[in-house]
Amino acid sequence: MSKIRVRFAPSPTGFVHVGGLRTALYNYLFAKKRGGTFILRIEDTDRSRYVEGATENLIAVLNWAGLVPDEGPEQGGDFGPYFQSQRQNIYRDYARELINGGRAYYAFDTPEEIEEMRRRAPKSEAPPKYDASLRMQMRNSLSLSPGESAELLEAGAPYVIRLLIPEDRTFTFNDIIRGQVSFHSRQIDDQVLIKSDGYPTYHLANVVDDHLMQISHVIRGEEWLSSVPKHVYLYECFGWKMPDLAHLPLIFNPDGTKMSKRNIQSLDELPSGKVDPDVQTYIDSGYEKEAILNYIAFLGWNPGDDRDVFTLRALQNIFSLERVNKSAAIFDLQKLNYLNQEHLHRMETDVLAEELKTEMQKAGIHYDADAYFKAVVDLLKSRLHFRKEFVEYSTYFFKEPESYDPQVVKKRWKGDSAKLLFEFIDEISKLDRFDAGSIEKCVRQIADRHEIGSGRIIHPVRLAVSGIGVGPGLFEMLQILGREKVTKRVKNAIEMIPARQQ
RNA sequence: GGCGCGUUCGUCUAGUGGUUUAGGACGCUGGCCUCUCACGCCGGUAGCACGGGUUCGAAUCCCGUACGCGCUGCCA
């Protein structure tokens, strides 16, 4: 079996689309699973749509995701350059070869003339194509005499090179995902191969580059399916072997429309039925990298069993194109959220703690010791949906409460709370070991003594040490805080709270 | 309009002629756990687009219809 070589070939026209990231991911997974090469090729042949910084941004997102190319603009390789804009002369040579072989021709029609040709058609009908039925009425090296054409070329008249699509041919090809697909040449127009600005169109460039770069499998979005016959014909003209094809299903908004960046400010205020196609938005919103990758991998693919949480490494081992679906998928934020939480909960505490330090520093919060910090992370981990929540959830572990939630005071702070809490700090002062088990025993004993529910102590203590009414299990929380802090905070609260009540 | 591709719970999907009273996950929902909020656990909800064939038997094969999407550019 020949070497697996796949490419992700985006055009730098803006932000990185969720669908684009998935295409990159599938290419990457396919290559890695089979010991192949993952190539990044920048398809920047449309100067009018070129966006400054888009390439850098694209590479940054790919690196962020861990989908690092084996060959590409950054890492180089034996098949460069990896920018199509730097390969112009290559395409030009191949286009000439086509013309010399009678497979392509020069066309001198101006954009206005083509526009006019299309406008001439009755409104009820479909716009005509530049094809066998029309080309002899246009201005090109087929309709003009050889002398006229040569004259125009010599005079430097603007021209494009068009592919001469044969009449009455059926192009059939096999797609790994869709099976056999065929098109009749009647449906295909004489595709422009070289534009008047000298740059190639996608169709020529991708065929030439895929061949020259020895691409074994083309994995891309379904929007390309309809232009495959043109590519099939080009491969035939050049006498090249075509790579295997896999056309991926599209990804849509919840309302079934195409994902668009229009009218989207943030994930918190999405227009009804819409979702943000910009990968950067999810990164900025604090989604776990692994969760994003896991989620988009499952948009159109599944491992065939019940498992649904995978790291990039794990996906590498089980991915296969054969298990990619045919039908389009809808992007669902809730499932992403679920996976985000799953990945967070499955992280090793040590690793998470290390990464959370950055979040803490950003928030300007300082902590005492590594062991203490890790203990807090361990305790709070299972309550996290997003890692950024940690800062908020853990504040009272790093500084004393400055106020007490009035709602909770009203609900939990009873007339005897102060008295019970005095008793509580007195009891815990006698404890040999200040651990969750001992603290709990202590609380239960006080409650029994007064014949009240232990909640009558638990809730006020929580309020006293944290200032709020929600949080992790109280006893574990107190153990981590330590006897000294707990005693101090409870005393503070006893002083503060009744004063506020009056 | 033409051509192409697609259609299993609200969503992601399993399913490749009998193992299926169509399975899982998210969501929603009932409960358990419990000191709160989460987590976790147990349960429920809901689907083969429609119509014809083929077959002893079809979600699975064929045809048609409907609907959706893609392409129909000197965009990719």
Side-chain angles (χ1 to χ4, degrees), chain A residues 247-261:
Chain A
H247 287 89
L248 272 19
L250 268 18
I251 303 174
F252 292 117
N253 275 316
D255 65 4
T257 58
K258 202 161 144 184
M259 286 169 93
S260 153
K261 190 113 179 89

Side-chain angles (χ1 to χ4, degrees), chain A residues 85-137:
Chain A
S85 59
Q86 295 169 18
R87 301 169 65 84
Q88 274 196 78
N89 45 357
I90 301 176
Y91 309 122
R92 177 152 295 271
D93 289 347
Y94 282 106
R96 282 231 170 88
E97 183 184 324
L98 254 18
I99 288 183
N100 293 339
R103 312 287 205 151
Y105 58 92
Y106 296 103
F108 303 98
D109 319 277
T110 64
E112 292 73 29
E113 285 168 339
I114 292 187
E115 176 75 7
E116 154 91 47
M117 170 272 277
R118 293 205 171 103
R119 237 197 327 258
R120 250 187 317 226
K123 250 203 304 227
S124 55
E125 280 176 32
K129 294 188 301 293
Y130 202 116
D131 64 7
S133 67
L134 255 163
R135 61 182 161 238
M136 293 315 282
Q137 300 163 39

